[in-house]
Amino acid sequence: MTQIVPLSAEARDRAGKGTARQTRRDGRIPAVIYGGKQAPIMISLDKFAFTRVLNQPGFFTHLFDITVDGATHRVLPRDVQFHPVTDVPLHVDFLRVSADTRTHVQVPVEFVDQDKSPGLKRGGVLNIVRHELDVTVSAGNIPEHITISCEGYDVGDSIHISSVKLPEGVASTIADRDFTIATIVAPSGLKSEEAEGAEAAAS
């Protein structure tokens, strides 16, 4: 079940660069709520309160209940603009959603059963190609992470999307190829042993 985070906001009267700069000088972050066949709402967020939730894992996969002037809007974060030097958030875009709204998100992957991988038990290394998967899912069922088992994989094997059991209602946005998520690679010591064995066999 998608985590829902409450967040308070204040309405902004006007858009524009000058108004946004003044909002930031006042210690707040300008933002907008859009979508849902309703007019956009210009809002501002407390800088410190927002930065705390922004730094929590899974920010873009959490729903937020933003309260503005007594009305609550359920939204999903879609974009955060950062200052190019200080990395301070400058503006946030939120999309209105309902529980059954289908949306595109990036969900982190979590690898389990590493003790059941012959390759990893031999000293192999899990080389993660994709730390997140692009998926479509209803807003009310965004998973915190997608679990991938390493059981049975040996050195030289690859873990492809076709071998991953996605949660119900979750679909990969890439459907035209069986892409690689991770590989089990040999450590340098094992590579040296194999090379020496190959040289001995050839002599």
Side-chain angles (χ1 to χ4, degrees), residues 43-101:
I43 62 172
S44 70
L45 306 165
D46 179 80
K47 178 180 177 179
F48 297 105
F50 176 73
T51 301
R52 276 198 303 271
V53 298
L54 176 63
N55 291 332
Q56 295 297 312
F59 170 76
F60 283 101
T61 61
H62 292 161
L63 295 180
F64 288 80
D65 276 349
I66 298 183
T67 303
V68 188
D69 292 338
T72 300
H73 305 265
R74 182 153 295 180
V75 299
L76 183 69
R78 300 310 286 167
D79 185 50
V80 179
Q81 297 172 25
F82 295 94
H83 190 283
V85 177
T86 63
D87 217 28
V88 170
L90 298 177
H91 190 274
V92 191
D93 292 352
F94 293 101
L95 174 68
R96 288 188 189 91
V97 295
S98 62
D100 57 355
T101 301

Side-chain angles (χ1 to χ4, degrees), residues 124-174:
V125 177
L126 180 64
N127 175 45
I128 302 174
V129 179
R130 292 175 181 262
H131 291 270
E132 298 176 318
L133 296 183
D134 289 314
V135 301
T136 54
V137 60
S138 62
N141 288 296
I142 300 174
E144 288 285 319
H145 56 261
I146 292 174
T147 302
I148 300 176
S149 175
C150 297
E151 183 175 357
Y153 288 97
D154 208 340
V155 170
D157 289 344
S158 297
I159 303 175
H160 296 98
I161 185 62
S162 60
S163 62
V164 176
K165 182 175 175 56
L166 295 174
E168 185 176 355
V170 178
S172 172
T173 58
I174 302 174

